[in-house]
Amino acid sequence: MRKQYNIMTSCDNNLVPYVAVGLTAMAHNLKDADIDFFFLHSHVSRNNIEMLEALCEELENCKIHFHEILVPHAEVYSELAEYGTGWTGEAYYSLCAHLLLPDEIDRVLYLDAGDTLIVGDIAPYYHYDFQGKSLVVTGSRYKPYNGNLELFSADDLGDWKEGLPGILRGIFNSGSYMMNLDKMRKDERTLADYQYLSLKLRELFGDDNHNIYWGDQGLLSATFVGDVRYYGFPEIRNLWYMPYNFCLWYYDRMNEKPNYSPAILHFAGTAFKPWNGTYPIFTERFQKKEQLHSMNELKNGQAGYFYLWHEYAIMANTILDKIGF
């Protein structure tokens, strides 16, 4: 029986080339699957959209159905991003995925555009029981309580000293997460809800503070705290357990590979992004010579994942050359 997945990302023109690399890795590693891939944007060029569509048609091993979703009210998402750290409005488009995607789509895997890569079986994560929660996530923050690691609750939003700042930094990493679209529709969440939360946080911290929450993951964490399920919890209470959002900052503290096989890589917390590495083969489509870094800048253990990204970049480049993009 063929597996079926709904997968989503969002970005601007700058990251589109790296989405092509991600799609290539997806096709290579999710063999014999039917994938509905939803690409959310507000002003990506027609040429880039056609390039992604054509690539999906050429990719082998699985069937990727490309769906372009034009996001309205882009200025509102940009305003939300204005009080977050480091990301543009496109990173926030997932907030209303339940309103933007077709009603029959009940769940979707969100992936950061560009710096995430599917390299293994995602089925255990994709089909993980929501247990009535809105999100399934890779936990990145716990609350010490009675000698154990526990989850944050909505009550912790009232703890201005430790609870709220930690939540706004992110109780999970937003590189990869599952969204329970059916529940979000039943809860009747709207874009205005996120605007209201952002406004209240600005009233608390001041309109002149443009680092109130840590990008989309900070705003998502404040919105859904108490309404998320950590993958593997409570059996596993370990910040380093992240098979479906393997952040390469793992090697900031670890010298050995994890005791699990990462299925989704996230090139987060590294000295540079994978498209800025100096590889034996330079891929002009995805790289700029003036931005290249020495691989020696990477931590021990990281380089292998970068070379894997480069392999998929070469595959994508070959296909796109063949079809005239």
Side-chain angles (χ1 to χ4, degrees), residues 107 121-131 133 135-140 142 151 171-172 176-178 228-245 260-261 263:
R107 65 174 59 206
D121 181 18
I122 64 169
Y125 187 54
Y126 186 88
H127 295 292
Y128 201 57
D129 191 345
F130 284 108
Q131 292 188 346
K133 305 296 186 182
L135 305 176
V136 166
V137 304
T138 295
S140 62
Y142 292 87
L151 303 185
I171 60 174
F172 65 93
S176 157
Y177 53 91
M178 288 296 306
V228 300
R229 187 177 185 202
Y230 282 21
Y231 183 82
F233 185 90
E235 293 78 15
I236 299 174
R237 307 176 190 229
N238 185 347
L239 287 173
W240 307 104
Y241 181 70
M242 39 188 175
Y244 300 102
N245 188 13
Y260 52 84
S261 297

Side-chain angles (χ1 to χ4, degrees), residues 142-161:
Y142 292 87
K143 180 174 62 174
Y145 183 74
N146 287 342
N148 210 344
L149 295 177
E150 302 293 346
L151 303 185
F152 283 86
S153 71
D155 292 339
D156 293 307
L157 290 168
D159 178 3
W160 292 6
K161 183 178 180 181

Side-chain angles (χ1 to χ4, degrees), residues 2-9 23 26-27 30 32-40 56 62-69 101-102 104-111 118 122 126 178 181:
R2 291 177 69 87
K3 296 178 180 178
Q4 193 280 327
Y5 301 112
N6 303 313
I7 300 177
M8 175 181 70
T9 196
L23 286 167
M26 194 182 300
L30 300 182
D32 299 321
D34 284 316
I35 300 169
D36 283 292
F37 183 78
F38 298 93
F39 181 73
L40 279 58
C56 288
C62 74
K63 181 62 178 177
I64 301 180
H65 309 274
F66 183 87
H67 304 275
E68 176 191 5
I69 305 291
L101 270 57
E104 63 269 21
I105 303 300
D106 63 338
R107 65 174 59 206
V108 68
L109 168 63
Y110 174 83
L111 295 174
I118 292 178
I122 64 169
Y126 186 88
M178 288 296 306
L181 302 183

Side-chain angles (χ1 to χ4, degrees), residues 157-193:
L157 290 168
D159 178 3
W160 292 6
K161 183 178 180 181
E162 295 184 1
L164 181 59
I167 292 168
L168 292 177
R169 180 60 176 80
I171 60 174
F172 65 93
N173 185 282
S174 63
S176 157
Y177 53 91
M178 288 296 306
M179 305 187 74
N180 185 348
L181 302 183
D182 274 352
K183 181 177 187 298
M184 295 174 71
R185 292 184 187 109
K186 290 175 183 175
D187 291 344
E188 298 184 337
R189 292 192 178 276
T190 67
L191 184 54
D193 294 330

Side-chain angles (χ1 to χ4, degrees), residues 187-311:
D187 291 344
E188 298 184 337
R189 292 192 178 276
T190 67
L191 184 54
D193 294 330
Y194 300 109
Q195 287 180 281
Y196 179 79
L197 175 58
S198 179
L199 175 62
K200 290 303 176 183
L201 291 170
R202 284 149 51 190
E203 290 176 354
L204 181 61
F205 292 101
D207 270 340
D208 57 340
N209 184 346
H210 289 258
N211 297 291
I212 294 174
Y213 36 86
W214 187 260
D216 57 313
Q217 76 179 35
L219 189 59
L220 280 164
S221 294
T223 300
F224 293 104
V225 61
D227 190 23
V228 300
R229 187 177 185 202
Y230 282 21
Y231 183 82
F233 185 90
E235 293 78 15
I236 299 174
R237 307 176 190 229
N238 185 347
L239 287 173
W240 307 104
Y241 181 70
M242 39 188 175
Y244 300 102
N245 188 13
F246 185 68
C247 299
L248 293 193
W249 46 252
Y250 171 93
Y251 291 101
D252 287 353
R253 302 283 288 276
M254 304 296 182
N255 294 317
E256 298 180 354
K257 288 186 176 182
N259 60 0
Y260 52 84
S261 297
I264 301 177
L265 303 179
H266 187 191
F267 294 87
T270 54
F272 52 87
K273 293 299 183 182
W275 47 88
N276 290 331
T278 300
Y279 302 104
I281 299 175
F282 175 75
T283 52
E284 185 173 0
R285 184 189 303 275
F286 304 115
Q287 298 186 275
K288 296 179 181 179
K289 289 185 176 180
E290 65 274 14
Q291 296 179 359
L292 297 183
H293 289 252
S294 167
M295 301 298 278
N296 292 330
E297 296 179 35
L298 298 174
K299 301 285 179 61
N300 289 337
Q302 293 177 341
Y305 300 107
F306 276 65
Y307 284 111
L308 182 59
W309 179 92
H310 186 242
E311 288 181 25

